[in-house]
Amino acid sequence: MISSPISAKNLCVLRGDNQVLDNVSFTIDAGDIFALLGGNGAGKSTTLLTFLGLISPSSGQALINGVEVGADIQGARAQISYLPESANLYPHLSAYENLEYFLSLAHISRSPEEISLSLDEVKLAPEARKKPLSSYSKGMRQKVSISLAILRRSPLLLLDEPTSGLDPLAIDEFNIILKTLSNLGTTIFMVTHDVYGACEVAKRVGLLRQGKMTSMFQAREDQKISVDEVHQAFRQSQAS
Amino acid sequence: MLREMQREFNFAWKETALRSLIVVAFFLSAISLLAGALTINDQEDLALRLNTEIKSEQLQILKGKTDPGDIAYSLFHLTFDPPSELAFVAVGQRNELTWLHRVRLLALEGQIHETSDANPEILTLGHLDFSFFLSVLLPLLVIGLLFDIEAREHRDRRHELICSASRFGNRIFLIRAMVRSLLLAAAVTVPFIIAAINSNITLIQASSVIGLTLFQIVVWLALSQFITRRMREAATAGLSLISIWLVLTLLIPIIGKIFVEYRVPVPNGGSILLTQREAVNDAWDLPKTATMKPFTEAYPEWREYGDVGKPFEWKWYYAFQEMGDRTAKPIAQALYKGMRDRHEAMAWIALLSPSLLIERRLTALAGTDVLQHLRYIQCSRRFHAEMRHFYYPFLFHEKAMSESNLAEIPEFKPCAL
């Protein structure tokens, strides 16, 4: 039996007396995009960090390819590319230097041509590539981050609020890149506030409230998840 | 690991702030070495100048003189503690305690303790030399380099990205801190190595100084890691590290010194001087036998020459000078024992303060600590005793000094370290 690339089984996380995650379960199939929606403090980022092995669950399991993250953190991280919220790479380094540094951090070697190609894929203007990131817009910085994920060629991509602060055009571009990566077989797990963006790209959307998974939505064949449905459920979950 | 360090080195070197701090460290190290070298050069020049002056003065004094009492009274000699080759690294007690004296055959205690008060300005401010730089300033540079090494990644929301990307997880920050510390170590030791090559210090001495530099950096690297791992806010981590620096570098040595001085009282040089002078002054009013009897008991070889018939005789004069020294001897011995005891007691305090430990090790290596001062005082005493043994036969036999006798007057030779 082939294990799901990412799955959570009755995942619980306690921080002091605070139950941050409470019996959260889901699975993400290979090549799917799964979006976890929730308000502030719902536990979205905690879920993500648990899969990175940066937070240990108090009970339950966070599994990467069927293996518990805590049992093989290095193995899990080797499978994952992670894009944190606001994608702050080093502002004093250029796009090339940032990519070289972060790839080297993961012991990944890529030729300058491959790096250029990945920046082409995310449509980062060639004239900007050697300038320090401090001169970039947020959307441009996000493109460099995605380029990093592409270069890592990881089968799993974890995104924390990836469209936060991006302008509509940049969000459109970003969604296209995500769909392309998904079509190429990358499994994507994103946490976001953005109901519209989530429904636009995700095959499944989960609603998280106060650490509990309250609803799950699945896209039907050739049909996106209904924004209205998710929005209503989201509002209800926030109101209750 | 080497690959990780190489990458972190390349990464660190692209930071302007880091490069600036490394340049500051390099110049501070070089300036402190230069300041120490200038101080030691000044001291050497002073000793040379005084020695030349005294030698020329001696030639003038000896011209046509044959009376040993008169010669011994007028002839000053310079005793001094020449700095070691490593003294420029740690000027130490050479700035606080006297390292040269003009002495003659008169009572020695007064001549030694005339200038025994410590230099209050130096005691308050400390002296800028490599030892001061290593023990006091270097920790601040380590703190400046490492206090926000993890906090800024939290602040800029890169921490998880870095930890998840690196196969070392959050231990990557330890590697980063080590690389930065190595850069700092290089910046600090390069000026010292240049200075070492230009001086005659041994490889062991140079290695010891470099070892102490690395020790200080490792201590503060460990403390910085301990704090920055626990505190996400750069300001909190920085403040905590500065507080630790304040305690380890200033409070413990100061409170330790006050405590040791309270627990180990010592007489001051002034009381030795007064006791000796009172004994000498009293001797003028006492019957001469009051001086000569105890003197000839101490020197039975002069017993048959111990009678003093005239109102003034040089042998009596120098005998009561020596008896004045003997009166003050217990106080002087108590002072030296106290100084030694305090020095040993501070060794325990130094176990609580890496800065004090380093300063003590450096002054010990450089021969500029209290123990060396006491060795020098002992050396001066030996020279004074040599002079007594030279002059006493002339004084007691009331024999005039010939040209050849004058050429045999002892000259001070510094004692080996």
Side-chain angles (χ1 to χ4, degrees):
Chain A
M1 189 183 128
I2 299 169
S3 306
S4 297
I6 299 178
S7 58
K9 284 186 183 167
N10 305 318
L11 195 59
C12 295
V13 171
L14 261 176
R15 275 188 172 173
D17 294 335
N18 188 20
Q19 184 85 45
V20 185
L21 290 182
D22 188 0
N23 272 315
V24 172
S25 297
F26 60 86
T27 58
I28 310 174
D29 294 332
D32 274 4
I33 300 176
F34 174 69
L36 193 58
L37 279 170
N40 289 330
K44 305 186 298 291
S45 295
T46 303
T47 311
L48 215 60
L49 297 180
T50 310
F51 281 99
L52 288 168
L54 296 172
I55 290 175
S56 301
S58 46
S59 64
Q61 294 176 307
L63 303 162
I64 298 290
N65 292 324
V67 178
E68 201 172 342
V69 171
D72 180 14
I73 291 178
Q74 296 303 334
R77 285 180 185 159
Q79 304 284 310
I80 296 171
S81 278
Y82 169 62
L83 259 73
E85 183 184 357
S86 72
N88 276 331
L89 300 177
Y90 286 104
H92 65 289
L93 301 181
S94 69
Y96 282 118
E97 287 170 333
N98 265 296
L99 292 173
E100 277 166 6
Y101 176 75
F102 280 98
L103 288 170
S104 163
L105 205 57
H107 287 209
I108 294 169
S109 174
R110 297 284 178 262
S111 68
E113 292 75 28
E114 285 176 300
I115 293 177
S116 291
L117 207 63
S118 78
L119 290 170
D120 288 344
E121 280 181 55
V122 295
K123 296 186 174 61
L124 185 75
E127 62 273 15
R129 294 175 190 179
K130 285 186 178 170
K131 289 182 182 167
L133 258 63
S134 53
S135 63
Y136 284 25
S137 69
K138 190 168 183 197
M140 288 164 81
R141 289 201 295 272
Q142 187 71 300
K143 284 177 179 177
V144 181
S145 298
I146 297 163
S147 169
L148 176 62
I150 293 169
L151 284 163
R152 287 195 65 174
R153 294 176 195 153
S154 310
L156 311 176
L157 180 57
L158 270 56
L159 309 166
D160 192 356
E161 304 284 1
T163 54
S164 156
L166 293 188
D167 61 53
L169 201 65
I171 291 174
D172 284 347
E173 282 182 353
F174 178 75
N175 286 342
I176 292 166
I177 295 166
L178 281 194
K179 282 177 189 168
T180 310
L181 287 172
S182 169
N183 290 337
L184 291 169
T186 306
T187 307
I188 297 168
F189 173 25
M190 59 192 275
V191 300
T192 180
H193 277 97
D194 178 9
V195 177
Y196 178 81
C199 295
E200 182 68 20
V201 293
K203 195 169 179 190
R204 293 170 74 210
V205 170
L207 270 186
L208 202 60
R209 183 178 175 273
Q210 290 179 347
K212 287 183 180 165
M213 191 73 88
T214 53
S215 327
M216 187 72 81
F217 300 90
Q218 171 96 38
R220 291 178 211 109
E221 202 64 35
D222 294 332
Q223 223 177 346
K224 290 177 191 167
I225 296 169
S226 158
V227 177
D228 291 341
E229 251 178 74
V230 176
H231 195 240
Q232 197 176 0
F234 185 66
R235 286 184 65 176
Q236 275 171 1
S237 78
Q238 295 302 302
S240 62
Chain B
M1 181 62 111
L2 206 62
R3 186 175 157 186
E4 301 291 322
M5 294 184 86
Q6 194 177 1
R7 183 198 57 242
E8 289 304 322
F9 170 79
N10 290 334
F11 171 72
W13 202 242
K14 283 175 183 155
E15 263 183 57
T16 313
L18 179 128
R19 285 200 305 270
S20 308
L21 196 136
I22 294 297
V23 169
V24 167
F26 179 88
F27 279 107
L28 272 177
S29 169
I31 288 166
S32 67
L33 284 162
L34 191 66
L38 287 175
T39 305
I40 295 301
N41 280 349
D42 283 350
Q43 292 187 353
E44 281 175 326
D45 287 349
L46 177 67
L48 194 68
R49 187 166 51 79
L50 285 179
N51 210 20
T52 312
E53 279 175 17
I54 281 182
K55 285 270 188 293
S56 136
E57 188 185 88
Q58 282 174 346
L59 289 175
Q60 293 294 320
I61 288 166
L62 291 175
K63 244 181 222 169
K65 278 195 177 167
T66 56
D67 180 351
D70 186 14
I71 291 169
Y73 184 85
S74 318
L75 207 61
F76 279 94
H77 299 263
L78 188 74
T79 72
F80 61 98
D81 182 22
S84 72
E85 294 291 348
L86 198 60
F88 72 93
V89 165
V91 176
Q93 298 296 323
R94 292 183 70 87
N95 250 324
E96 294 173 23
L97 300 169
T98 46
W99 54 272
L100 88 173
H101 292 97
R102 279 173 92 230
V103 296
R104 50 183 171 159
L105 195 60
L106 269 61
L108 181 67
E109 299 299 347
Q111 301 180 74
I112 286 181
H113 295 289
E114 236 170 14
T115 52
S116 68
D117 279 344
N119 182 340
E121 275 179 43
I122 299 287
L123 284 178
T124 311
L125 299 172
H127 179 88
L128 178 64
D129 58 13
F130 196 62
S131 161
F132 179 82
F133 170 68
L134 282 196
S135 54
V136 178
L137 302 180
L138 184 58
L140 291 174
L141 293 173
V142 179
I143 292 170
L145 206 59
L146 305 180
F147 80 100
D148 67 342
I149 200 159
E150 233 175 305
R152 72 175 132 170
E153 304 300 351
H154 280 298
R155 183 197 63 206
D156 295 341
R157 307 183 70 94
R158 272 188 303 264
H159 194 265
E160 284 85 7
L161 177 65
I162 293 166
C163 293
S164 65
S166 170
R167 61 192 295 185
F168 289 93
N170 65 358
R171 277 178 300 149
I172 187 68
F173 294 107
L174 175 62
I175 297 170
R176 196 174 270 190
M178 281 164 56
V179 167
R180 283 157 195 247
S181 302
L182 278 174
L183 275 169
L184 181 64
V188 171
T189 50
V190 164
F192 169 71
I193 291 168
I194 294 168
I197 291 167
N198 287 310
S199 64
N200 291 322
I201 65 172
T202 64
L203 191 63
I204 292 172
Q205 285 175 319
S207 309
S208 303
V209 174
I210 293 171
L212 287 168
T213 308
L214 295 179
F215 168 75
Q216 179 76 316
I217 290 176
V218 167
V219 165
W220 284 94
L221 165 67
L223 283 169
S224 299
Q225 280 291 300
F226 180 79
I227 294 297
T228 54
R229 280 286 153 99
R230 280 156 183 78
M231 293 173 184
R232 277 181 161 223
E233 288 289 326
T236 319
L239 204 63
S240 303
L241 283 165
I242 292 288
S243 305
I244 293 172
W245 171 82
L246 203 67
V247 170
L248 294 186
T249 308
L250 296 178
L251 289 184
I252 289 179
I254 290 171
I255 293 171
K257 192 164 184 273
I258 292 169
F259 175 72
V260 166
E261 284 178 2
Y262 172 74
R263 289 300 299 264
V264 186
V266 296
N268 63 30
S271 64
I272 299 170
L273 181 73
L274 275 178
T275 306
Q276 178 254 293
R277 281 198 180 155
E278 275 170 16
V280 167
N281 291 341
D282 287 350
W284 288 99
D285 305 325
L286 293 171
K288 298 203 171 40
T289 50
T291 297
M292 297 313 288
K293 192 170 177 291
F295 180 83
T296 51
E297 276 167 12
Y299 292 97
E301 65 267 36
W302 304 121
R303 189 168 292 151
E304 60 178 296
Y305 306 98
D307 292 338
V308 180
K310 297 176 200 162
F312 177 85
E313 287 186 36
W314 280 116
K315 64 182 176 190
W316 165 70
Y317 178 78
Y318 286 109
F320 74 65
Q321 294 290 331
E322 182 170 346
M323 297 324 285
D325 273 348
R326 284 176 183 244
T327 312
K329 191 177 177 184
I331 311 174
Q333 280 178 339
L335 170 67
Y336 301 143
K337 183 182 180 303
M339 285 170 83
R340 204 168 272 118
D341 289 348
R342 281 181 175 182
H343 183 74
E344 281 167 16
M346 284 305 284
W348 292 100
I349 307 288
L351 295 177
L352 303 172
S353 164
S355 295
L356 184 58
L357 194 68
I358 284 167
E359 191 261 333
R360 284 174 61 86
R361 281 304 305 144
L362 281 174
T363 51
L365 276 170
T368 53
D369 59 359
V370 166
L371 298 181
Q372 175 57 26
H373 171 74
L374 295 177
R375 278 192 287 269
Y376 158 65
I377 294 293
Q378 194 54 37
C379 188
S380 294
R381 285 176 184 284
R382 273 205 292 272
F383 172 66
H384 195 260
E386 199 186 335
M387 283 205 295
R388 285 200 307 269
H389 289 128
F390 174 79
Y391 282 109
Y392 282 178
F394 293 101
L395 296 169
F396 280 86
H397 290 302
E398 295 180 15
K399 195 176 133 192
M401 291 178 82
S402 66
E403 285 284 327
S404 63
N405 294 144
L406 294 179
E408 286 166 359
I409 293 174
E411 279 188 38
F412 175 78
K413 286 183 191 66
C415 302
L417 267 179

